[in-house]
Amino acid sequence: MAPNLSPIETAKFAAARRAVDFVEGGMRVGLGSGSTAAWMVRCLGQRVREEGLKITGVPTSDRTAALARAEGITVVALEEARWLDLTIDGTDEFDPDLNLIKGGGGAHLREKIVATASDQMIVIADAAKEVAHLGAFPLPVEVVPFGWQTSKALIEEILVSLDVLGREVTLRMKGDVPFTSDEGNRILDLHLGRIGNARQLALVLNQVPGVVENGLFIDICDRVVIGHGDGRVELRDIATGSSEEDRIDFAAPENVFDDLG
């Protein structure tokens, strides 16, 4: 049996466990980053070891790559895979149209590239990630180190004319030094409160000199798998508008939980 997980970890595991059912042998799969995606990688590793599932994984961060290799998943770079059948990733927020804010871990640049190089994207999340309007979670914007202060000032200027509730922009830190992404860039966090027009904001931000990419994922997610603290999962499909519920059996082999101590 699974160890005594908190309700939030139970929800993450349930979503991840259900999502890997969509992976079939021979697929090239984008492997997301973050705590929920880590559960997904562990569940995929279990299928690789116990079912002999043969897949190729394309990780979206160095941390995910290390975890996938440890789980026995074959890992290649996107340049080698070229196009993917499926990407499974977490999110920081999602709205009724399955638009997302991602980048809480600072990997949204790679995550967006991998997701858009896939036939479909499945997002896994606990129920708390669902919002009526995007923006409560700070929106990450990746910028090059050179002139990041100028990029920040330009972003603050354009926010004045956009439909957002707040306009504070902060440089993400890691201890006493600026956070650095896997690509060697800085992250600016936009504390907006509420985003009135996410599509417009995404387009405008990417026109700012020095901005590499923002954390708004618009029209990229195809399906979301929502986990609940009691083991229930809800599947929503944006194309069909359908929604269905399932429940995860937690009588899982203990090796999925080995690294939880």
Side-chain angles (χ1 to χ4, degrees), residues 29-254:
V29 183
L31 306 176
S33 300
S35 58
T36 311
W39 278 116
M40 176 270 298
V41 174
R42 295 187 189 103
C43 290
L44 268 182
Q46 179 185 334
R47 290 193 60 192
V48 167
R49 294 187 299 273
E50 298 181 3
E51 302 175 20
L53 180 71
K54 295 188 182 301
I55 61 169
T56 302
V58 175
T60 56
S61 66
D62 295 344
R63 179 174 294 184
T64 295
L67 177 59
R69 292 189 182 98
E71 290 290 333
I73 299 171
T74 299
V75 171
V76 301
L78 182 59
E79 308 88 81
E80 183 176 344
R82 302 192 66 174
W83 195 260
L84 310 180
D85 300 286
L86 170 66
T87 286
I88 305 177
D89 203 350
T91 189
D92 296 302
E93 283 186 347
F94 69 93
D95 70 9
D97 295 320
L98 304 193
N99 294 316
L100 322 170
I101 285 183
K102 290 178 54 56
H108 58 281
L109 172 58
R110 291 190 187 183
E111 289 169 344
K112 189 176 284 191
I113 293 172
V114 170
T116 54
S118 305
D119 287 336
Q120 62 172 318
M121 180 191 192
I122 296 177
V123 162
I124 48 180
D126 59 88
K129 299 298 194 300
E130 182 174 9
V131 296
H133 301 279
L134 298 177
F137 191 90
L139 174 64
V141 177
E142 185 158 347
V143 297
V144 297
F146 177 81
W148 69 264
Q149 299 94 334
T150 299
S151 299
K152 177 176 179 290
L154 289 170
I155 291 172
E156 291 170 336
E157 183 177 336
I158 66 171
L159 288 177
V160 174
S161 61
L162 296 176
D163 184 10
V164 294
L165 187 62
R167 299 186 180 89
E168 182 185 7
V169 180
T170 60
L171 177 67
R172 186 178 299 183
M173 303 294 291
K174 186 175 183 180
D176 296 329
V177 298
F179 175 90
T180 302
S181 74
D182 285 347
E183 300 300 320
N185 295 319
R186 303 282 188 262
I187 303 290
L188 298 175
D189 287 314
L190 281 54
H191 304 266
L192 306 177
R194 180 185 182 277
I195 299 171
N197 188 331
R199 187 183 307 276
Q200 178 191 41
L201 178 59
L203 291 171
V204 171
L205 285 173
N206 281 5
Q207 298 303 310
V208 174
V211 169
V212 181
E213 188 55 80
N214 67 80
L216 286 166
F217 283 51
I218 310 298
D219 298 333
I220 296 176
C221 173
D222 299 285
R223 180 183 286 121
V224 62
V225 182
I226 307 166
H228 295 267
D230 60 0
R232 289 181 299 115
V233 291
E234 180 184 356
L235 287 75
R236 296 184 195 167
D237 190 304
I238 192 65
T240 64
S242 63
S243 177
E244 60 181 89
E245 283 201 4
D246 200 352
R247 182 173 291 275
I248 298 301
D249 178 12
F250 278 76
E254 292 183 359

